[in-house]
Amino acid sequence: MATLPWIDPDRLWFPPADQALEDPDGLLALGGDLSPDRLVLAYRQGIFPWYSDDQPILWWSPNPRCVLFPEEIHVSRSLRRTLNQQRFRITADQAFPEVIRLCAESRQEGTWITDEMTEAYSRLHQKGIVHSIEAWNQDGRLVGGMYGLALGRCFFGESMFSLETNASKALMVHLAGQLGAWGYNLIDCQVESGHLLRMGARCIPRAEFLSILEASVDRPPVQRDWNFQWRWTGPEA
């Protein structure tokens, strides 16, 4: 097995993403820290941390990369009916601590959202880089959510949870529509899942993903104010 680079916490640096291993897919380096500057640098270069409590910090850049282009979001007929019923109110940055907690708790197989990760992304939330998106049911209960980083015209999704049928799907539809209106080029989904693929996500070569990042992360979006609410205004089913 190839020797992985060890990241010195005192040095703000990553090896090129295209040096990541093929097996396990995308493993690039280990060590370092989760400081705001290091995390932002990682995402700008197509890299993200993913590890458990009993491991050092592991840094990844898988190939291919699962992404969702906002204009390619797929809304099924059944989901469109749910949206037309206005079953969910979608907000942003209204309940970040609850969202990241529920993202961790909803993963019964274990979570990489450790206390260290929670603290790190909370710091980035306070800096206006990490955002939460929330889905509330008609009783005002938080039933879906996700969080991720907004850098330039890219949104890097980190984790999502859903406590009611279609809550996370409704959230994704509204998020894609809003990001598209703001001129965002992509939503990074990191690793493919059936749920994401059914909603229009697809896998692209890492080289293509990195090229999009290079052209997008330094371009300001049309809008920066994440303090808003969305409601579905699409066509009837």
Side-chain angles (χ1 to χ4, degrees):
M1 181 176 175
T3 301
L4 288 172
W6 178 269
I7 304 298
D8 186 338
D10 295 326
R11 183 184 177 196
L12 195 58
W13 166 87
F14 285 102
D18 60 10
Q19 294 182 9
L21 300 179
E22 294 183 4
D23 185 21
D25 178 31
L27 183 56
L28 177 67
L30 67 163
D33 57 27
L34 297 179
S35 66
D37 287 346
R38 190 177 305 280
L39 282 171
V40 169
L41 178 64
Y43 283 91
R44 287 176 59 90
Q45 296 183 2
I47 303 163
F48 59 87
W50 185 33
Y51 65 103
S52 58
D53 264 333
D54 59 349
Q55 295 175 317
I57 300 173
L58 303 177
W59 301 94
W60 302 78
S61 184
N63 184 34
R65 189 79 163 225
C66 185
V67 302
L68 174 63
F69 296 100
E71 68 277 9
E72 294 182 2
I73 187 75
H74 173 68
V75 184
S76 66
R77 288 182 64 87
S78 61
L79 178 56
R80 187 175 291 116
R81 285 194 294 271
T82 296
L83 295 169
N84 287 332
Q85 293 167 0
Q86 302 284 344
R87 285 177 48 197
F88 303 107
R89 179 173 62 93
I90 310 299
T91 62
D93 286 346
Q94 299 302 301
F96 176 81
E98 292 85 355
V99 167
I100 195 169
R101 175 179 60 81
L102 287 168
C103 282
E105 292 178 355
S106 65
R107 299 185 177 275
Q108 297 179 357
E109 73 278 10
T111 181
W112 69 93
I113 308 174
T114 62
D115 290 345
E116 184 180 31
M117 292 278 271
T118 297
E119 292 171 4
Y121 287 91
S122 296
R123 287 193 294 267
L124 286 179
H125 175 66
Q126 293 166 4
K127 291 177 175 290
I129 297 172
V130 164
H131 301 279
S132 62
I133 302 91
E134 303 92 16
W136 309 83
N137 68 10
Q138 294 176 339
D139 295 327
R141 188 166 71 93
L142 181 64
V143 293
M146 72 175 296
Y147 70 95
L149 291 79
L151 296 175
R153 296 196 176 197
C154 296
F155 184 81
F156 302 84
E158 265 300 306
S159 187
M160 178 186 298
F161 76 92
S162 183
L163 302 180
E164 283 191 10
T165 301
N166 285 333
S168 63
K169 291 180 180 179
L171 182 154
M172 284 295 295
V173 170
H174 287 80
L175 176 62
Q178 189 64 67
L179 293 181
W182 288 350
Y184 276 67
N185 292 327
L186 65 74
I187 300 172
D188 175 30
C189 304
Q190 297 180 349
V191 180
E192 69 178 283
S193 70
H195 170 72
L196 292 168
L197 296 177
R198 286 189 292 273
M199 295 208 69
R202 54 190 170 100
C203 293
I204 62 175
R206 180 172 53 216
E208 180 181 350
F209 174 72
L210 295 176
S211 179
I212 295 172
L213 288 193
E214 185 176 2
S216 303
V217 292
D218 290 320
R219 294 185 63 200
V222 175
Q223 169 68 277
R224 294 179 183 272
D225 183 9
W226 284 72
N227 185 21
F228 52 79
Q229 297 184 19
W230 294 303
R231 284 198 181 276
W232 170 251
T233 57
E236 296 293 324

